[in-house]
Amino acid sequence: MSIIKDEVYKFFAQYIYQNTGMVYAPNEYYRLDSRINDLVKFLNVKTVDEVYQMYRGAISPDMRAILINISTNNETYFFRDGKPFTILCKNVLTELVTLYPTGSLNIWSAASSTGQEAYSILMSIKNSLPEDVFQRIFISGSDISTQALKKATDGVYTGLEVQRGLPIQLLMKFFNQTGPELWKIDQSLTSKVKFYEFNLLTGHYPKDQYHIVFCRNVLIYQDNDNKKNILDKIYDSLKPGGYMFLGTGESLIGIQSKFERISFDGGAVYKKV
Amino acid sequence: MNILVVDDSRAIYAMVSQMLETGGHKSVWAEDGLKAIEVLKNPALKIDVILLDWNMPNMNGPEFLEANLKDKFTLAPIVMMTTENSPEYIKKALSLNAAEYIMKPFTSDILFNKLSLIEMMI
């Protein structure tokens, strides 16, 4: 591994920032070491300086792609964990449509982040259930990050983001390209969801409001008292017979709650009985 | 899985083959569509998936897809992997029987996610 000059770090940090928005501050330049050395290997040159000179010159689309590929990491996915969306359409909604044959079907994406979960729910329903069921669906998406909420409301995602979890056929069906690297989700979906700021610990929960709540990968970050507090409030916010989805790997083991655990092929959900 | 990477960029192949290796896959490289056909004729190499660039000399990605539609030299799912990312290009590739589409730039998690979508189809 070669010693990398500050000037080289600065150049690549700037390039990555301009192309991805990811920040490498000077005290984090060491995190670029393995990435810059990967470039030496992939571009089949001998030194970091050669790579630096190549990137300072005319950059081909492939060279740009390689640098961005190795610089970014993101955990937000469309259809994260897959199975919950199948269970939602195949089991949960089929039952709730019978239990509640008229009126809106309210789904809460309780930690909606940048919106991928809410839009995945809508795409699943639109793709696999009758249109009259889709028409009845309304989604509330909440998060504590206003930045995430703005992105969710805009429904505009980068090329990298739309490739995380989204089959290409669904990209073609539900998104419009609005720039070389930008894709906007179709208005037929954005019109079915409203995003708003909400703190799960301190927020005021509505009573008997939702038929389904998605609260995935949130409780793992909470201590047991907070978990119980949130679960009790979600329980009260559900309509009778309503369902809650937790993240894969999350369970209510060791926590007192009124939910009944129901197993379906591919995973468990929690029912208000 | 055994994966044939068809791309005229040695650097892209170096990166993709390393990604595939970390995911437990093996890869073979062909620099264009014609060389890919040669690779596919080798019965010793059982190719499970093909990653196919769009722009290449001799035989480009869509020409390879068209040739395969006509001559059926492979039944392996074909995933486009290209900087061409407009809907027109994507629709054309899908109409020529591409199973998935990876837009460059991409990350290793995207590559593995697309491969797992493909594995579900196989």
Side-chain angles (χ1 to χ4, degrees), chain A residues 140-194:
Chain A
S140 305
S142 69
D143 203 88
I144 49 171
S145 162
T146 50
Q147 207 179 344
L149 289 165
K150 184 181 181 316
K151 187 175 175 72
T153 305
D154 291 345
V156 177
Y157 299 93
T158 66
L160 285 173
E161 288 163 333
V162 294
Q163 296 199 81
R164 294 203 158 91
L166 193 64
I168 195 69
Q169 289 80 3
L170 295 187
L171 179 71
M172 288 296 95
K173 187 169 178 180
F174 292 115
F175 288 77
N176 301 300
Q177 194 177 35
T178 55
E181 299 279 343
L182 293 176
W183 297 80
K184 183 168 172 50
I185 197 149
D186 195 76
Q187 194 265 339
S188 63
L189 300 190
T190 53
S191 63
K192 305 286 279 179
V193 52
K194 185 170 171 55

Side-chain angles (χ1 to χ4, degrees), chain B residues 1 8 10 12 19 31 33 36 46 57-59 72 76 89 93 98 102 113-115 122:
Chain B
M1 289 197 287
D8 59 334
R10 177 184 286 275
I12 288 282
M19 287 177 176
E31 289 171 76
K46 193 189 160 298
N58 304 318
M59 180 188 275
K72 302 262 186 304
Y89 279 79
I102 299 174
N113 180 253
K114 295 282 186 182
L115 288 176
I122 296 174

Side-chain angles (χ1 to χ4, degrees), chain B residues 57-75:
Chain B
N58 304 318
M59 180 188 275
N60 66 22
E63 285 165 353
F64 177 87
L65 288 170
E66 277 172 25
N68 192 43
L69 271 180
K70 187 166 160 273
D71 298 331
K72 302 262 186 304
F73 39 73
T74 181
L75 293 172

Side-chain angles (χ1 to χ4, degrees), chain A residues 108-167:
Chain A
W108 182 21
S109 171
S112 60
S113 183
T114 40
Q116 281 89 335
E117 181 177 76
Y119 293 127
S120 299
I121 292 169
L122 287 168
M123 284 187 272
S124 301
I125 297 169
K126 180 92 179 166
N127 241 15
S128 61
L129 291 173
E131 181 62 21
D132 62 318
V133 176
F134 178 75
Q135 289 305 325
R136 293 176 59 198
I137 299 292
F138 184 78
I139 302 203
S140 305
S142 69
D143 203 88
I144 49 171
S145 162
T146 50
Q147 207 179 344
L149 289 165
K150 184 181 181 316
K151 187 175 175 72
T153 305
D154 291 345
V156 177
Y157 299 93
T158 66
L160 285 173
E161 288 163 333
V162 294
Q163 296 199 81
R164 294 203 158 91
L166 193 64

